[in-house]
Amino acid sequence: MLALGSRLAERGHSVTLETWSRWREHVEGAGMRFVAAPEHPVFPTREHPVKPYEAVVLGTPITRRAIAAAHPDVVVHDILTLAPAMAGELEGLPVATLIPHVHPAGGPELPPYAFGARPPRTAAGRALWRALEGRVEGGLRRGRFELNETRARLGLAPIDRLHGGISEELCLVGTFPQLEYPRPWPEGTRVVGPFLWEPPAADVEPPPGEEPLILIAPSTAQDPEHRLLRAALAGLAREPVRVLAAWNRRPITRPLPVPANARLVEWVSYARTMPRCDLVVCHAGHGTLARALASGCPVLTVPAAGDMNENAARVDWAGAGVRLPWRLLSPATLRLAVRRALSEPGLAARARELGAWAQVNDGATRAAELVEALAS
């Protein structure tokens, strides 16, 4: 959203961005107007049970007032934040959806999203995914029922489509088209390329030498015990590589030995560092993975949870990296995976192809053009 909003502001538009207060400095620094987003519990806990879409019901009236005050020509919402979409619809405005990763909807004979499985190559594989289609559709129908209950509480008419949280007018998919499995797209869906943005960061020098440079780029949301970081520093200690590792401002609670061929830092600019790297090792969060590929750098993915499994499968399928299952992570397995990634020239060549594509296909610019067309 910061990438898209910044690009729209650069193009001379008046942009209001509603988000959490922690991002205010970056929003205003890019020439946008900041509005604090309502923060309500989304997932139920024992202490705070919430109904499905309860945060949407609570947040929609607040966001609707912010929209009315801004008088926009169009509303763009993140796929996970439905309150702005509902509020924009109530105000009679065109609404676009931004998906900041691969599209979560499946297709005929494709594995369900987040399974981390590749498309089938045999009749047996196709039969397996067909057998699951009924269960997946049942879950989508349940979601549609709950969403229509929410729409009724807000005074909106029910919808028939299963992916009701995604706009039919314009859906911006912020990933590489090379990571999307072949399938027919709805009329309003556009795969525009990744939205690349990062906060300011000081320059960081890697360890000296001419050996291949490996960047360890852990998730800022998963792996609180730093399993990936520890496995990488231990597993690569005696390898003929240089290791630049970041702990990404997540506390390290136990001693973490740093070998002579490595440097451990608090934070690093991916935009300035990844183009210098020979390999990026990450959990396969989409932002990190997309930045690496846009930099022309292959990736070793070690997916920890959620859509990371899907992202890892996509980059493996696209031929721009390798994946190591989380359950198999150890210093020895990571070392072997790094050796494999560095020894296969096709991976680096494919990553360079994606990097070249990104150089001439800026996702934020293409999305801004589409938002302008929708607004007009």
Side-chain angles (χ1 to χ4, degrees):
M1 280 296 187
L2 283 163
L4 175 58
S6 299
R7 188 70 79 251
L8 287 165
E10 290 170 3
R11 295 166 72 90
H13 300 292
S14 174
V15 181
T16 299
L17 201 157
E18 180 190 69
T19 186
W20 291 341
S21 298
R22 61 177 292 203
W23 301 108
R24 179 170 191 156
E25 177 185 354
H26 302 297
V27 171
E28 295 178 341
M32 295 176 278
R33 175 174 171 262
F34 170 81
V35 172
E39 299 187 29
H40 301 290
V42 176
F43 301 107
T45 64
R46 184 176 300 175
E47 296 77 16
H48 301 284
V50 294
K51 298 179 180 178
Y53 295 105
E54 189 66 24
V56 178
V57 174
L58 296 172
T60 297
I62 300 171
T63 298
R64 186 179 184 184
R65 290 193 291 270
I67 289 174
H71 301 292
D73 296 294
V74 63
V75 173
V76 184
H77 77 104
D78 186 287
I79 187 175
L80 293 181
T81 54
L82 292 186
M86 304 286 192
E89 187 176 349
L90 287 166
E91 288 294 303
L93 293 167
V95 174
T97 302
L98 187 153
I99 301 177
H101 45 67
V102 298
H103 200 294
E109 299 182 348
L110 287 178
Y113 181 73
F115 265 42
R118 291 174 50 163
R121 290 170 286 182
T122 65
R126 290 189 289 273
L128 171 63
W129 299 131
R130 280 199 306 271
L132 287 179
E133 287 176 2
R135 289 180 176 269
V136 172
E137 184 171 327
L140 292 172
R141 290 182 182 278
R142 176 64 183 176
R144 182 180 61 185
F145 174 79
E146 294 172 349
L147 179 59
N148 280 335
E149 281 189 327
T150 303
R151 292 176 61 87
R153 293 172 66 183
L154 294 170
L156 292 168
I159 55 174
D160 291 329
R161 65 186 190 275
L162 292 178
H163 292 278
I166 299 175
S167 171
E168 289 184 301
E169 297 176 279
L170 177 61
C171 173
L172 304 164
V173 186
T175 193
F176 287 93
Q178 296 90 338
L179 298 184
E180 287 288 0
Y181 295 149
R183 70 189 115 167
W185 293 111
E187 183 177 346
T189 298
R190 300 289 185 272
V191 183
V192 297
F195 296 83
L196 301 175
W197 181 91
E198 69 175 16
D203 287 327
V204 172
E205 286 299 316
E210 300 297 326
E211 297 84 1
L213 178 60
I214 314 296
L215 175 65
I216 313 302
S219 169
T220 57
Q222 302 291 336
D223 192 11
E225 298 299 319
H226 290 293
R227 277 189 62 201
L228 176 59
L229 192 60
R230 293 178 184 279
L233 291 174
L236 301 177
R238 299 181 182 277
E239 293 293 286
V241 298
R242 294 173 296 148
V243 179
L244 179 60
W247 50 275
N248 286 344
R249 298 170 183 162
R250 306 194 76 196
I252 298 175
T253 57
R254 294 184 289 115
L256 180 57
V258 180
N261 66 338
R263 184 177 181 195
L264 180 62
V265 298
E266 176 187 10
W267 193 263
V268 63
S269 165
Y270 289 167
R272 296 197 299 276
T273 304
M274 287 183 175
R276 305 163 63 184
C277 295
D278 296 277
L279 182 68
V280 170
V281 180
C282 65
H283 286 102
H286 187 270
T288 303
L289 186 150
R291 175 68 78 174
L293 296 178
S295 300
C297 186
V299 292
L300 165 58
T301 59
V302 190
D307 67 343
M308 293 175 174
N309 290 302
E310 189 70 29
N311 299 332
R314 300 298 180 95
V315 76
D316 182 35
W317 171 78
V322 297
R323 55 176 166 170
L324 172 62
W326 182 249
R327 67 184 183 279
L328 300 181
L329 174 63
S330 71
T333 57
L334 187 135
R335 179 169 57 250
L336 292 173
V338 167
R339 288 178 182 175
R340 177 191 164 196
L342 292 177
S343 67
E344 295 187 13
L347 299 178
R350 180 59 168 159
R352 287 193 294 271
E353 289 178 11
L354 269 66
W357 184 93
Q359 289 295 315
V360 295
N361 293 276
D362 180 70
T365 298
R366 181 59 184 138
E369 294 168 349
L370 292 166
V371 170
E372 290 168 346
L374 179 61
S376 63

